[in-house]
Amino acid sequence: MHRWKNAVAQAAAVACGLLAACGNVWAQAYPTQAVKIVVPYPPGGPTDIVARVVAQQLGEQLGQTVIVDNKPGAGGNLGAEAVARAAPDGYTLLVATTAHAINMSLFKNLNYDVQRDFAPVSLLTQGPLVLVTTPSFPAKNVAEVIALAKAKPGELNYASSGNGQSTHLAAELFATSAGVKLTHVPYKGSAPALTDVIAGQVPMFFDTMLSSMPFVKSGKLKALAVTSPSRSPAAPDIPTVAESGLPGYEVFAWNGLLAPAGTPPAVLSKLSAEMKKVLENPAVKDKFAAQGFAAAWTSPKQSADYVRAEVEKWRQAVAQSGAKVE
């Protein structure tokens, strides 16, 4: 019996060694084909911009094609569902956003769980939103927006990049904090929302600085405030919402890279290491910083902890706002 136990233990040790060796070989060989990064929004929006910058640099480092695949719809949920069901082999990844943490509480019947069904690789970017309006909008600052909304309850519309996006809940949190009623006009992404705000179809929009600031600089949009607790280095002349009449108001937008749950640890480790190189690349950092985003590499564990904290933070914000999407 003793010899049998020893034999079993030795066999188990050999098996574990073989599995570890296989995992290392797999990681060294990965990737042997094109890698697809799913963006759950239309082309041209902030998440798409981030994904394309990352994809180009990651492809150069890996020596493989990295494809950006836009799968918009349902507030980012269609693309997320597709990746959650994809083979966990490292060849299909998701650029998740603040919305995917929000959606856990906002939508009643999701076909995925952002914590259970994904293996985080790294955060990509973090940054504040900016409250922009069409240039002809009469309010020149946050205090005047609040006064206008109080004078015309429910008549002041705001655009968002979709139900459940940070651009949606940022406005809901603003309305709740200010004690006003605003009317939500959702779009299928930031780009079409911006188009209508620029055209004056909808007067205002809490958008990422990455996509909005070029239009602010060209005079096609007016920037009233940023949502961070302190002013953004990318636009130091724009005041914060908190200093403009709503103390304590704070919203950050983020993007993160996720793989399907069950992706081999060795592959996740390699992706994590490569993403660290991507996000520490000076050219990549400069591209994001110029538009108000900071490159934000985190380890897989740190990323998982961050997503968990965001899910809880936005659960409370959704409950407070009363927002719900079927």
Side-chain angles (χ1 to χ4, degrees):
M1 179 62 72
H2 181 69
R3 287 196 298 272
W4 179 81
K5 287 183 178 179
N6 284 340
V8 170
Q10 290 171 5
V14 170
C16 289
L18 288 173
L19 284 173
C22 287
N24 290 333
V25 169
W26 192 355
Q28 290 168 8
Y30 170 88
T32 58
Q33 64 190 58
V35 175
K36 180 170 65 177
I37 296 179
V38 173
V39 173
Y41 308 106
T47 304
D48 182 67
I49 292 170
V50 168
R52 291 181 189 279
V53 171
V54 167
Q56 180 179 352
Q57 183 62 35
L58 182 60
E60 291 175 8
Q61 292 175 193
L62 293 175
Q64 282 286 353
T65 301
V66 179
I67 302 164
V68 174
D69 183 15
N70 296 88
K71 290 185 179 296
N77 291 328
L78 291 184
E81 290 172 15
V83 177
R85 293 194 297 267
D89 54 13
Y91 290 100
T92 304
L93 307 172
L94 173 73
V95 178
T97 70
T98 317
H100 293 97
I102 295 170
N103 289 353
M104 296 297 296
S105 301
L106 190 69
F107 287 81
K108 284 187 175 181
N109 300 303
L110 284 182
N111 293 323
Y112 70 92
D113 184 302
V114 75
Q115 297 181 83
R116 182 192 64 222
D117 296 329
F118 294 97
V121 176
S122 174
L123 290 185
L124 301 176
T125 61
Q126 286 178 304
L129 301 180
V130 56
L131 172 56
V132 294
T133 70
T134 184
S136 61
F137 188 58
K140 299 181 181 64
N141 51 52
V142 167
E144 291 183 7
V145 171
I146 293 172
L148 187 61
K150 286 183 175 179
K152 299 179 179 180
E155 295 182 28
L156 185 55
N157 297 339
Y158 70 89
S160 83
S161 54
N163 286 317
Q165 307 302 299
S166 58
T167 58
H168 171 200
L169 266 293
E172 288 293 330
L173 187 59
F174 177 91
T176 300
S177 301
V180 299
K181 181 173 176 56
L182 304 174
T183 298
H184 181 209
V185 182
Y187 287 81
K188 292 182 178 180
S190 179
L194 276 173
T195 298
D196 271 11
V197 175
I198 290 169
Q201 299 298 318
V202 182
M204 65 181 195
F205 183 20
F206 282 86
D207 193 25
T208 63
M209 296 184 74
L210 185 65
S211 56
S212 285
M213 287 310 295
F215 297 105
V216 172
K217 292 174 182 177
S218 68
K220 293 181 178 179
L221 288 172
K222 183 168 60 176
L224 301 189
V226 294
T227 64
S228 46
S230 57
R231 296 193 182 198
S232 169
D237 293 336
I238 303 175
T240 68
V241 173
E243 73 180 273
S244 303
L246 284 183
Y249 181 91
E250 177 184 327
V251 173
F252 278 99
W254 55 267
N255 293 289
L257 191 66
L258 310 183
T263 298
V267 172
L268 289 175
S269 180
K270 180 161 186 177
L271 277 170
S272 174
E274 292 297 332
M275 287 310 307
K276 192 172 192 295
K277 294 177 188 175
V278 168
L279 295 169
E280 290 180 349
N281 183 291
V284 171
K285 292 174 73 173
D286 287 347
K287 286 178 183 177
F288 293 152
Q291 304 297 342
F293 266 142
W297 179 85
T298 51
S299 70
K301 183 182 184 305
Q302 289 170 327
S303 303
D305 290 343
Y306 185 87
V307 170
R308 186 180 306 110
E310 282 288 286
V311 168
E312 175 57 22
K313 167 188 171 181
W314 287 108
R315 183 191 66 76
Q316 295 178 19
V318 167
Q320 185 179 32
S321 72
K324 285 292 178 185
V325 178
E326 296 297 332

